[in-house]
mmCIF file of all heavy atoms in Angstrom:
data_model
loop_
_atom_site.group_PDB
_atom_site.id
_atom_site.type_symbol
_atom_site.label_atom_id
_atom_site.label_comp_id
_atom_site.label_asym_id
_atom_site.label_seq_id
_atom_site.Cartn_x
_atom_site.Cartn_y
_atom_site.Cartn_z
ATOM 1 N N LYS B 1561 18.154 22.650 -2.488
ATOM 2 C CA LYS B 1561 17.355 21.704 -3.442
ATOM 3 C C LYS B 1561 18.327 20.862 -4.268
ATOM 4 O O LYS B 1561 18.089 19.608 -4.387
ATOM 5 C CB LYS B 1561 16.617 22.642 -4.519
ATOM 6 C CG LYS B 1561 15.294 22.983 -3.975
ATOM 7 C CD LYS B 1561 14.239 22.003 -4.397
ATOM 8 C CE LYS B 1561 12.959 22.300 -3.702
ATOM 9 N NZ LYS B 1561 11.876 21.256 -3.890
ATOM 10 N N ILE B 1562 19.427 21.431 -4.745
ATOM 11 C CA ILE B 1562 20.373 20.692 -5.557
ATOM 12 C C ILE B 1562 21.018 19.603 -4.770
ATOM 13 O O ILE B 1562 21.187 18.466 -5.165
ATOM 14 C CB ILE B 1562 21.384 21.623 -6.205
ATOM 15 C CG1 ILE B 1562 20.619 22.581 -7.162
ATOM 16 C CG2 ILE B 1562 22.440 20.822 -7.032
ATOM 17 C CD1 ILE B 1562 21.574 23.553 -7.820
ATOM 18 N N ILE B 1563 21.394 19.855 -3.576
ATOM 19 C CA ILE B 1563 22.031 18.887 -2.750
ATOM 20 C C ILE B 1563 21.129 17.689 -2.541
ATOM 21 O O ILE B 1563 21.490 16.532 -2.561
ATOM 22 C CB ILE B 1563 22.588 19.557 -1.428
ATOM 23 C CG1 ILE B 1563 23.607 20.563 -1.629
ATOM 24 C CG2 ILE B 1563 22.996 18.409 -0.525
ATOM 25 C CD1 ILE B 1563 24.034 21.198 -0.433
ATOM 26 N N LYS B 1564 19.806 18.020 -2.274
ATOM 27 C CA LYS B 1564 18.829 16.992 -2.047
ATOM 28 C C LYS B 1564 18.731 16.184 -3.316
ATOM 29 O O LYS B 1564 18.562 14.941 -3.287
ATOM 30 C CB LYS B 1564 17.386 17.667 -1.774
ATOM 31 C CG LYS B 1564 17.178 17.889 -0.279
ATOM 32 C CD LYS B 1564 15.804 18.232 -0.113
ATOM 33 C CE LYS B 1564 15.566 18.292 1.334
ATOM 34 N NZ LYS B 1564 14.124 18.842 1.556
ATOM 35 N N LEU B 1565 18.754 16.869 -4.456
ATOM 36 C CA LEU B 1565 18.616 16.097 -5.772
ATOM 37 C C LEU B 1565 19.759 15.124 -5.881
ATOM 38 O O LEU B 1565 19.561 14.065 -6.345
ATOM 39 C CB LEU B 1565 18.678 17.129 -6.860
ATOM 40 C CG LEU B 1565 18.616 16.469 -8.265
ATOM 41 C CD1 LEU B 1565 17.280 15.768 -8.586
ATOM 42 C CD2 LEU B 1565 18.961 17.495 -9.323
ATOM 43 N N PHE B 1566 20.944 15.647 -5.485
ATOM 44 C CA PHE B 1566 22.102 14.641 -5.635
ATOM 45 C C PHE B 1566 21.959 13.429 -4.773
ATOM 46 O O PHE B 1566 22.342 12.359 -4.990
ATOM 47 C CB PHE B 1566 23.386 15.434 -5.387
ATOM 48 C CG PHE B 1566 23.917 16.160 -6.588
ATOM 49 C CD1 PHE B 1566 24.102 17.453 -6.626
ATOM 50 C CD2 PHE B 1566 24.152 15.403 -7.689
ATOM 51 C CE1 PHE B 1566 24.637 18.176 -7.723
ATOM 52 C CE2 PHE B 1566 24.589 16.076 -8.902
ATOM 53 C CZ PHE B 1566 24.895 17.425 -8.859
ATOM 54 N N GLY B 1567 21.391 13.733 -3.550
ATOM 55 C CA GLY B 1567 21.034 12.584 -2.683
ATOM 56 C C GLY B 1567 20.212 11.581 -3.366
ATOM 57 O O GLY B 1567 20.374 10.346 -3.118
ATOM 58 N N ALA B 1568 19.397 12.007 -4.268
ATOM 59 C CA ALA B 1568 18.535 11.037 -4.965
ATOM 60 C C ALA B 1568 19.288 10.406 -6.120
ATOM 61 O O ALA B 1568 18.996 9.309 -6.625
ATOM 62 C CB ALA B 1568 17.225 11.701 -5.502
ATOM 63 N N LEU B 1569 20.165 11.182 -6.732
ATOM 64 C CA LEU B 1569 20.879 10.661 -7.848
ATOM 65 C C LEU B 1569 22.016 9.695 -7.577
ATOM 66 O O LEU B 1569 22.302 8.779 -8.291
ATOM 67 C CB LEU B 1569 21.386 11.816 -8.738
ATOM 68 C CG LEU B 1569 20.354 12.704 -9.441
ATOM 69 C CD1 LEU B 1569 21.063 13.702 -10.330
ATOM 70 C CD2 LEU B 1569 19.537 11.844 -10.427
ATOM 71 N N THR B 1570 22.711 10.050 -6.548
ATOM 72 C CA THR B 1570 23.916 9.185 -6.267
ATOM 73 C C THR B 1570 23.713 7.701 -6.142
ATOM 74 O O THR B 1570 24.531 6.931 -6.589
ATOM 75 C CB THR B 1570 24.725 9.666 -5.012
ATOM 76 O OG1 THR B 1570 23.653 10.208 -4.080
ATOM 77 C CG2 THR B 1570 25.777 10.722 -5.354
ATOM 78 N N PRO B 1571 22.622 7.211 -5.604
ATOM 79 C CA PRO B 1571 22.542 5.814 -5.570
ATOM 80 C C PRO B 1571 22.542 5.247 -6.933
ATOM 81 O O PRO B 1571 22.887 4.017 -7.047
ATOM 82 C CB PRO B 1571 21.082 5.647 -4.844
ATOM 83 C CG PRO B 1571 20.861 6.771 -4.185
ATOM 84 C CD PRO B 1571 21.599 7.852 -4.887
ATOM 85 N N LEU B 1572 22.040 5.895 -7.850
ATOM 86 C CA LEU B 1572 22.046 5.386 -9.384
ATOM 87 C C LEU B 1572 23.407 5.477 -9.915
ATOM 88 O O LEU B 1572 23.711 4.681 -10.814
ATOM 89 C CB LEU B 1572 21.062 6.147 -10.202
ATOM 90 C CG LEU B 1572 19.639 6.164 -9.705
ATOM 91 C CD1 LEU B 1572 18.810 6.998 -10.594
ATOM 92 C CD2 LEU B 1572 19.142 4.720 -9.560
ATOM 93 N N GLU B 1573 24.155 6.389 -9.535
ATOM 94 C CA GLU B 1573 25.453 6.564 -10.205
ATOM 95 C C GLU B 1573 26.523 6.856 -9.151
ATOM 96 O O GLU B 1573 26.795 7.858 -8.709
ATOM 97 C CB GLU B 1573 25.470 7.836 -11.134
ATOM 98 C CG GLU B 1573 26.648 8.142 -11.929
ATOM 99 C CD GLU B 1573 27.104 7.014 -12.767
ATOM 100 O OE1 GLU B 1573 26.726 6.902 -13.895
ATOM 101 O OE2 GLU B 1573 28.022 6.269 -12.177
ATOM 102 N N PRO B 1574 27.068 5.802 -8.631
ATOM 103 C CA PRO B 1574 28.024 5.804 -7.517
ATOM 104 C C PRO B 1574 29.206 6.778 -7.705
ATOM 105 O O PRO B 1574 29.751 7.325 -6.741
ATOM 106 C CB PRO B 1574 28.453 4.343 -7.303
ATOM 107 C CG PRO B 1574 27.483 3.520 -8.019
ATOM 108 C CD PRO B 1574 26.916 4.336 -9.077
ATOM 109 N N ARG B 1575 29.593 6.864 -8.945
ATOM 110 C CA ARG B 1575 30.791 7.760 -9.152
ATOM 111 C C ARG B 1575 30.562 9.166 -8.785
ATOM 112 O O ARG B 1575 31.417 9.935 -8.437
ATOM 113 C CB ARG B 1575 31.157 7.701 -10.674
ATOM 114 C CG ARG B 1575 31.903 6.417 -11.126
ATOM 115 C CD ARG B 1575 32.094 6.427 -12.530
ATOM 116 N NE ARG B 1575 30.874 6.322 -13.224
ATOM 117 C CZ ARG B 1575 30.726 6.504 -14.558
ATOM 118 N NH1 ARG B 1575 31.749 6.822 -15.284
ATOM 119 N NH2 ARG B 1575 29.530 6.450 -15.169
ATOM 120 N N LEU B 1576 29.218 9.478 -8.878
ATOM 121 C CA LEU B 1576 28.865 10.898 -8.499
ATOM 122 C C LEU B 1576 29.251 11.146 -7.027
ATOM 123 O O LEU B 1576 29.795 12.307 -6.748
ATOM 124 C CB LEU B 1576 27.379 11.098 -8.536
ATOM 125 C CG LEU B 1576 26.811 11.845 -9.825
ATOM 126 C CD1 LEU B 1576 25.351 11.828 -9.739
ATOM 127 C CD2 LEU B 1576 27.369 13.154 -9.861
ATOM 128 N N GLY B 1577 29.198 10.166 -6.189
ATOM 129 C CA GLY B 1577 29.385 10.307 -4.797
ATOM 130 C C GLY B 1577 30.765 10.898 -4.512
ATOM 131 O O GLY B 1577 31.004 11.845 -3.790
ATOM 132 N N LYS B 1578 31.739 10.306 -5.166
ATOM 133 C CA LYS B 1578 33.124 10.705 -4.872
ATOM 134 C C LYS B 1578 33.422 12.067 -5.304
ATOM 135 O O LYS B 1578 34.083 12.869 -4.703
ATOM 136 C CB LYS B 1578 34.133 9.737 -5.631
ATOM 137 C CG LYS B 1578 34.278 8.365 -4.910
ATOM 138 C CD LYS B 1578 35.016 7.415 -5.674
ATOM 139 C CE LYS B 1578 34.656 6.020 -5.130
ATOM 140 N NZ LYS B 1578 34.750 4.985 -6.114
ATOM 141 N N LYS B 1579 32.777 12.444 -6.568
ATOM 142 C CA LYS B 1579 32.899 13.833 -7.068
ATOM 143 C C LYS B 1579 32.331 14.864 -6.150
ATOM 144 O O LYS B 1579 32.815 16.030 -6.138
ATOM 145 C CB LYS B 1579 32.251 13.931 -8.417
ATOM 146 C CG LYS B 1579 33.111 13.438 -9.557
ATOM 147 C CD LYS B 1579 32.670 14.020 -10.870
ATOM 148 C CE LYS B 1579 33.608 13.829 -11.924
ATOM 149 N NZ LYS B 1579 33.153 14.386 -13.177
ATOM 150 N N LEU B 1580 31.254 14.468 -5.510
ATOM 151 C CA LEU B 1580 30.530 15.440 -4.709
ATOM 152 C C LEU B 1580 31.255 15.875 -3.405
ATOM 153 O O LEU B 1580 30.994 16.889 -2.895
ATOM 154 C CB LEU B 1580 29.164 14.976 -4.417
ATOM 155 C CG LEU B 1580 28.165 15.036 -5.496
ATOM 156 C CD1 LEU B 1580 26.829 14.348 -5.143
ATOM 157 C CD2 LEU B 1580 27.867 16.486 -5.811
ATOM 158 N N ILE B 1581 32.028 14.948 -2.903
ATOM 159 C CA ILE B 1581 32.476 15.184 -1.552
ATOM 160 C C ILE B 1581 33.296 16.476 -1.430
ATOM 161 O O ILE B 1581 32.990 17.308 -0.448
ATOM 162 C CB ILE B 1581 33.399 13.987 -1.079
ATOM 163 C CG1 ILE B 1581 32.453 12.837 -0.865
ATOM 164 C CG2 ILE B 1581 34.178 14.311 0.162
ATOM 165 C CD1 ILE B 1581 33.098 11.657 -0.276
ATOM 166 N N GLU B 1582 34.073 16.846 -2.406
ATOM 167 C CA GLU B 1582 34.827 18.013 -2.254
ATOM 168 C C GLU B 1582 33.935 19.248 -2.337
ATOM 169 O O GLU B 1582 33.958 20.083 -1.387
ATOM 170 C CB GLU B 1582 35.873 18.085 -3.365
ATOM 171 C CG GLU B 1582 37.016 19.043 -2.961
ATOM 172 C CD GLU B 1582 37.726 19.430 -4.249
ATOM 173 O OE1 GLU B 1582 37.881 18.588 -5.198
ATOM 174 O OE2 GLU B 1582 38.073 20.633 -4.397
ATOM 175 N N PRO B 1583 33.055 19.510 -3.316
ATOM 176 C CA PRO B 1583 32.248 20.657 -3.270
ATOM 177 C C PRO B 1583 31.349 20.710 -2.042
ATOM 178 O O PRO B 1583 31.150 21.856 -1.482
ATOM 179 C CB PRO B 1583 31.389 20.578 -4.602
ATOM 180 C CG PRO B 1583 31.578 19.204 -5.083
ATOM 181 C CD PRO B 1583 32.899 18.784 -4.522
ATOM 182 N N LEU B 1584 30.880 19.582 -1.578
ATOM 183 C CA LEU B 1584 30.027 19.622 -0.428
ATOM 184 C C LEU B 1584 30.813 20.112 0.752
ATOM 185 O O LEU B 1584 30.181 20.934 1.579
ATOM 186 C CB LEU B 1584 29.462 18.242 -0.173
ATOM 187 C CG LEU B 1584 28.279 17.812 -1.048
ATOM 188 C CD1 LEU B 1584 27.870 16.422 -0.602
ATOM 189 C CD2 LEU B 1584 27.148 18.754 -0.847
ATOM 190 N N THR B 1585 31.992 19.682 0.915
ATOM 191 C CA THR B 1585 32.712 20.149 2.112
ATOM 192 C C THR B 1585 33.008 21.666 2.006
ATOM 193 O O THR B 1585 33.099 22.362 3.084
ATOM 194 C CB THR B 1585 34.076 19.394 2.248
ATOM 195 O OG1 THR B 1585 34.653 19.162 0.955
ATOM 196 C CG2 THR B 1585 33.907 18.097 3.009
ATOM 197 N N ASN B 1586 33.118 22.153 0.752
ATOM 198 C CA ASN B 1586 33.285 23.589 0.631
ATOM 199 C C ASN B 1586 31.979 24.332 1.024
ATOM 200 O O ASN B 1586 31.944 25.407 1.453
ATOM 201 C CB ASN B 1586 33.601 23.937 -0.788
ATOM 202 C CG ASN B 1586 35.036 23.402 -1.123
ATOM 203 O OD1 ASN B 1586 35.854 23.275 -0.199
ATOM 204 N ND2 ASN B 1586 35.234 23.263 -2.397
ATOM 205 N N LEU B 1587 30.839 23.585 0.679
ATOM 206 C CA LEU B 1587 29.535 24.304 0.918
ATOM 207 C C LEU B 1587 29.069 24.273 2.338
ATOM 208 O O LEU B 1587 28.246 24.946 2.789
ATOM 209 C CB LEU B 1587 28.573 23.612 0.053
ATOM 210 C CG LEU B 1587 28.603 23.904 -1.406
ATOM 211 C CD1 LEU B 1587 27.577 23.121 -2.195
ATOM 212 C CD2 LEU B 1587 28.339 25.500 -1.656
ATOM 213 N N ILE B 1588 29.713 23.315 3.166
ATOM 214 C CA ILE B 1588 29.100 23.116 4.482
ATOM 215 C C ILE B 1588 29.089 24.393 5.259
ATOM 216 O O ILE B 1588 28.131 24.615 6.043
ATOM 217 C CB ILE B 1588 29.761 21.986 5.097
ATOM 218 C CG1 ILE B 1588 28.916 21.385 6.254
ATOM 219 C CG2 ILE B 1588 31.101 22.359 5.763
ATOM 220 C CD1 ILE B 1588 29.197 20.118 6.702
ATOM 221 N N HIS B 1589 30.028 25.231 4.986
ATOM 222 C CA HIS B 1589 30.077 26.482 5.739
ATOM 223 C C HIS B 1589 28.828 27.396 5.413
ATOM 224 O O HIS B 1589 28.267 27.983 6.254
ATOM 225 C CB HIS B 1589 31.319 27.262 5.452
ATOM 226 C CG HIS B 1589 31.573 28.360 6.426
ATOM 227 N ND1 HIS B 1589 31.742 28.267 7.723
ATOM 228 C CD2 HIS B 1589 31.554 29.705 6.221
ATOM 229 C CE1 HIS B 1589 31.842 29.519 8.289
ATOM 230 N NE2 HIS B 1589 31.761 30.312 7.351
ATOM 231 N N ARG B 1590 28.615 27.460 4.119
ATOM 232 C CA ARG B 1590 27.503 28.324 3.652
ATOM 233 C C ARG B 1590 26.175 27.804 4.243
ATOM 234 O O ARG B 1590 25.310 28.546 4.697
ATOM 235 C CB ARG B 1590 27.399 28.278 2.188
ATOM 236 C CG ARG B 1590 27.765 29.664 1.664
ATOM 237 C CD ARG B 1590 27.810 29.587 0.180
ATOM 238 N NE ARG B 1590 26.401 29.635 -0.466
ATOM 239 C CZ ARG B 1590 26.149 29.424 -1.743
ATOM 240 N NH1 ARG B 1590 27.231 29.040 -2.532
ATOM 241 N NH2 ARG B 1590 25.016 29.476 -2.179
ATOM 242 N N ILE B 1591 25.940 26.523 4.119
ATOM 243 C CA ILE B 1591 24.756 25.893 4.696
ATOM 244 C C ILE B 1591 24.622 26.124 6.127
ATOM 245 O O ILE B 1591 23.590 26.461 6.663
ATOM 246 C CB ILE B 1591 24.757 24.432 4.389
ATOM 247 C CG1 ILE B 1591 24.852 24.097 2.859
ATOM 248 C CG2 ILE B 1591 23.627 23.670 4.908
ATOM 249 C CD1 ILE B 1591 23.613 24.364 2.106
ATOM 250 N N TYR B 1592 25.767 26.014 6.790
ATOM 251 C CA TYR B 1592 25.766 26.308 8.185
ATOM 252 C C TYR B 1592 25.271 27.690 8.592
ATOM 253 O O TYR B 1592 24.536 27.930 9.491
ATOM 254 C CB TYR B 1592 27.161 25.891 8.808
ATOM 255 C CG TYR B 1592 27.670 26.744 9.973
ATOM 256 C CD1 TYR B 1592 26.969 26.757 11.170
ATOM 257 C CD2 TYR B 1592 28.790 27.538 9.777
ATOM 258 C CE1 TYR B 1592 27.310 27.449 12.235
ATOM 259 C CE2 TYR B 1592 29.247 28.237 10.891
ATOM 260 C CZ TYR B 1592 28.538 28.204 12.052
ATOM 261 O OH TYR B 1592 28.949 28.924 13.145
#
Side-chain angles (χ1 to χ4, degrees):
Chain B
K1561 272 267 168 190
I1562 296 178
I1563 295 177
K1564 272 193 175 172
L1565 173 72
F1566 275 122
L1569 289 184
T1570 31
L1572 299 180
E1573 181 56 89
R1575 279 175 298 171
L1576 258 178
K1578 278 173 206 149
K1579 273 202 167 173
L1580 278 173
I1581 289 187
E1582 201 203 320
L1584 279 181
T1585 35
N1586 294 337
L1587 286 174
I1588 200 159
H1589 188 67
R1590 248 176 79 191
I1591 300 285
Y1592 146 60

